[in-house]
Every structure is written in C-alpha cells, then in structure tokens.
Amino acid sequence: MLVSKTERVKNMPHSIHVGFLGVNDFAHELIQAIIDKGVIPEKNIYVSDASPSSCAQYEGRAISVFKDDMTTLIKAELVIITAPRREFGTVLAPICALTRGKIIVAMTEGIDCNFVLDRVTKGTYVVSAAPHQSDAGEWETSLEYSAGFPEYMKAACIDIVGSICKPGQ
C-alpha cells in the first residue's frame, strides 16, 4: 500500500530537541504521552532533574537527564516548564539571560505569555498552555502565542501539548 507524502509527514515525529524544566508528575505524564504518541523521539528529549528517583525512571532510555537546567536549556530548541506557579519565576531566574531565540512553553495554570516575557531576554518566543482538568478528569488547554512567534513551530507545539491535553475553549 502506498502512503502519500502528506500522510508520511503527518505521522513522522518532529525532529526538534525538547527540554523539560521544573519537572513534576505532570511533566512525567507529558513526556510519556509524547513518546507513546510518537511526537518526539526519545533521543531528542532532555530532562533537568537532580532527583535520583526521577533519574532512575529514565534509566535505559534514550532520554538525556541532566542535573542542571542550564545544560537542558542549551541543548533544547523548545523548553517546557511545568513548575507550579509559585515556583515558576524561580525556575526561570537562572536561565532567563540565555533564552534568546528559544521557545518557552509555559504549562502552568495561571501563567500567561506576558508573565514569562517579563522574566526572559528579548527575542524569546513563548507559548502559554495552562492545563486544567475538566469535570470528566481530562486535561484541557488552549494555546496563546507571544507576538512574532514563528509559524513553522506552531505545529510542533500543538502536537506536544496535544499529546496530553485536548483543546479547550
């Protein structure tokens, strides 16, 4: 059976490098959903977490685990932050001067693009995807993009966030 070029591209994983900062249970669920749905290859996923239990859960996989956020930021093109709102600024503080040209995906309820843009270097692109659970217990979100966000990266962001959250209103 022949597969059209469009179908092949649609089913191929994105080749971007994705980093995770502020890792928590939601981030672990998101990483697993991304892998299960073939959105990003394991070898393109970087996790910043000094916790021995988190490091152990990725042992034997192609996912790279670093003990510092700086290494994760440098290696990744797109960085997902899932830290709770009260810790979000603390996660951004050590890396804020090096975010120029990077895409930051804020997956924390109550965090919008302006909150992140006020704390990072000019030239940083931001997506706000504040997840919340519906009455049925499913994760939902809507995406907000900062001004000038590159169009060619929107599909990857939609696929990454959509691997765990369904679009909401």
Side-chain angles (χ1 to χ4, degrees):
M1 177 178 158
L2 292 174
V3 178
S4 74
K5 184 176 180 181
T6 307
E7 287 176 292
R8 223 175 330 147
V9 171
K10 185 178 176 184
N11 294 325
M12 288 179 63
H14 295 279
S15 61
I16 62 173
H17 295 261
V18 179
F20 288 83
L21 306 180
V23 178
N24 52 24
D25 290 342
F26 181 79
H28 295 302
E29 287 179 42
L30 177 59
I31 291 166
Q32 193 58 54
I34 288 169
I35 293 166
D36 290 347
K37 294 184 178 174
V39 177
I40 305 287
E42 278 189 12
K43 67 182 176 84
N44 290 11
I45 297 175
Y46 308 104
V47 177
S48 177
D49 196 342
S51 147
S53 62
S54 289
C55 293
Q57 108 178 45
Y58 297 115
E59 207 169 281
R61 300 182 85 170
I63 296 170
S64 297
V65 180
F66 302 107
K67 293 186 189 285
D68 65 289
D69 292 345
M70 197 66 66
T71 304
T72 302
L73 177 73
I74 290 168
K75 292 195 170 278
E77 299 165 75
L78 183 145
V79 177
I80 299 171
I81 303 175
T82 60
R85 185 176 181 9
R86 69 183 179 282
E87 296 173 17
F88 205 92
T90 305
V91 171
L92 277 178
I95 61 160
C96 65
L98 300 171
T99 58
R100 185 178 185 87
K102 302 284 184 175
I103 295 171
I104 304 290
V105 180
M107 289 195 74
T108 301
E109 199 165 4
I111 302 289
D112 62 8
C113 288
N114 288 330
F115 181 92
V116 179
L117 288 170
D118 287 346
R119 290 161 175 79
V120 295
T121 304
K122 283 187 178 192
T124 302
Y125 303 108
V126 178
V127 179
S128 172
H132 60 277
Q133 283 190 301
S134 69
D135 293 337
E138 295 178 326
W139 287 107
E140 295 180 339
T141 192
S142 56
L143 291 124
E144 172 197 358
Y145 300 93
S146 61
F149 192 90
E151 287 294 322
Y152 68 91
M153 288 301 291
K154 286 184 178 180
C157 292
I158 290 167
D159 290 347
I160 289 167
V161 172
S163 66
I164 198 167
C165 295
K166 74 177 194 177
Q169 270 54 27

